[in-house]
Amino acid sequence: MPRRLALPVAAALPLALVLAACGTDGVGTGADGTGDGMQVLASFYPLQYVAEQVGGDLVSVDNLTPPAAEPHDLELAPSQVREVGDADLVVFQSGFQPAVDEAVEARAPEHVVDAAELVTLEENPGSAEHADEESGDTHDHGNTDPHFWLDPTLLIPVADEVATELGGADPDNAATYTANADALQATLEDLDTEYAAALEPCQGETLVTSHAAFGYLAERYGLSQIGISALDPEAEPSPARLREIGDVVADNDVRTIFTETLTSPKVAETLADDLGVTTAVLDPLEGLSTDAAESGADYLSVMDNNLAAITEGLGCA
């Protein structure tokens, strides 16, 4: 189910320039490979993807979170904090990465897009109805689920605001940024349509995940998410919680427990083995794994892989 965004001709990148801009180290370069152009800082991968698509070859996008790193745990070097103040645009999500929040407050960049101001973040949508008895601090975002980008339609207002802010910083190219945002909207709407069609046969099915990162996806497409852990991927579920998950699996004829990239699958795999069900991998897309980055994966290809894993794991196909 491959799909790629077709930017307007004025903003389209030759393949060599795309590879140079994306790289594998999370640091972009300008259209000519020298770092020229509008300098954009994104705090983690989905926002990097939006900035790259909207900016096209007019921007250089750096990701503050390295590949394969947990964005929740990001700490910034002094040089990165200075870059926050020097960037033409900073795209971040307040309440998700405290170090970035502090840098934005301290350096006060002129042009900022805060995704948390554009999307209504929900309290762990689609997960268990009560709080889990777990260790861990849920990474300081409490019960608010930050993973809105797993509903592709919720990236659309972020793209629009990125276009607006880039246009404000670079008025001569404002029309190109708007056209790119419109093209990205069409691509995200196509992805949403594909998800809806593929998952329609599984309406109401239970999606058991290693942690409750997929609530927006589940809510959008009529699934019921149950996380072994809550919003902290590193939290250790209690024995009582594991028994609850076992009951959910038995009562709902669950055949697959979904583990994740970037976090250890050990607990989920052990539980699946004990319950006699299979496992499959989903990517919460907080960042690209090293392998994914090196292979040229992006938001769309990872979302396609997630859809294939879900339809197979739930028996939708």
Side-chain angles (χ1 to χ4, degrees):
M1 294 174 283
R3 183 192 309 95
R4 291 295 180 272
L5 174 62
L7 295 176
V9 173
L13 276 170
L15 177 60
L17 296 183
V18 172
L19 295 176
C22 295
T24 59
D25 60 358
V27 178
T29 60
D32 59 4
T34 65
D36 294 338
M38 298 289 291
Q39 301 298 305
V40 179
L41 280 182
S43 61
F44 61 102
Y45 176 69
L47 303 183
Q48 173 193 350
Y49 171 78
V50 170
E52 287 173 342
Q53 300 307 313
V54 174
D57 62 350
L58 298 172
V59 305
S60 167
V61 183
D62 288 355
N63 186 348
L64 290 171
T65 304
E70 261 291 346
H72 313 81
D73 302 325
L74 178 68
E75 298 293 338
L76 298 181
S79 60
Q80 291 176 299
V81 175
R82 289 193 296 272
E83 288 174 1
V84 168
D86 295 339
D88 294 303
L89 173 64
V90 175
V91 188
F92 80 119
Q93 181 175 333
S94 61
F96 185 48
Q97 296 171 289
V100 179
D101 293 357
E102 293 169 8
V104 169
E105 182 176 358
R107 299 291 294 172
E110 182 177 357
H111 293 279
V112 176
V113 171
D114 180 0
E117 294 183 351
L118 303 170
V119 177
T120 300
L121 298 177
E122 301 187 25
E123 289 194 2
N124 205 4
S127 68
E129 294 179 355
H130 55 81
D132 301 328
E133 297 176 1
E134 301 166 344
S135 60
D137 60 6
T138 60
H139 292 292
D140 295 327
H141 48 68
N143 288 326
T144 300
D145 185 353
H147 306 88
F148 74 91
W149 55 87
L150 293 172
D151 174 349
T153 66
L154 296 181
L155 280 176
I156 293 171
V158 179
D160 289 341
E161 188 66 14
V162 168
T164 297
E165 289 297 321
L166 283 174
D170 180 20
D172 289 345
N173 291 300
T176 296
Y177 300 131
T178 298
N180 290 351
D182 290 345
L184 178 56
Q185 175 176 339
T187 298
L188 294 171
E189 289 174 344
D190 286 347
L191 179 62
D192 175 58
T193 298
E194 184 176 338
Y195 259 75
L199 295 178
E200 194 277 334
C202 280
Q203 290 276 318
E205 293 289 331
T206 300
L207 186 72
V208 178
T209 58
S210 58
H211 98 284
F214 296 87
Y216 294 94
L217 185 155
E219 187 175 75
R220 177 72 180 173
Y221 303 111
L223 306 176
S224 176
Q225 178 197 222
I226 300 293
I228 297 173
S229 299
L231 288 171
D232 183 352
E234 299 173 0
E236 190 74 22
S238 66
R241 180 59 178 167
L242 294 177
R243 288 193 295 271
E244 289 177 0
I245 297 299
D247 291 340
V248 167
V249 168
D251 293 345
N252 294 277
D253 295 322
V254 171
R255 54 195 247 180
T256 303
I257 290 177
F258 293 94
T259 64
E260 296 176 17
T261 57
L262 302 185
T263 58
S264 172
K266 182 178 179 180
V267 171
E269 288 178 345
T270 299
L271 180 60
D273 187 58
D274 290 344
L275 297 173
V277 298
T278 62
T279 60
V281 179
L282 291 180
D283 193 331
L285 261 167
E286 294 176 355
L288 294 179
S289 67
T290 301
D291 289 346
E294 291 177 349
S295 70
D298 65 3
Y299 174 84
L300 293 176
S301 64
V302 173
M303 286 292 285
D304 282 341
N305 290 341
N306 280 348
L307 180 57
I310 294 171
T311 54
E312 181 176 353
L314 297 184
C316 306

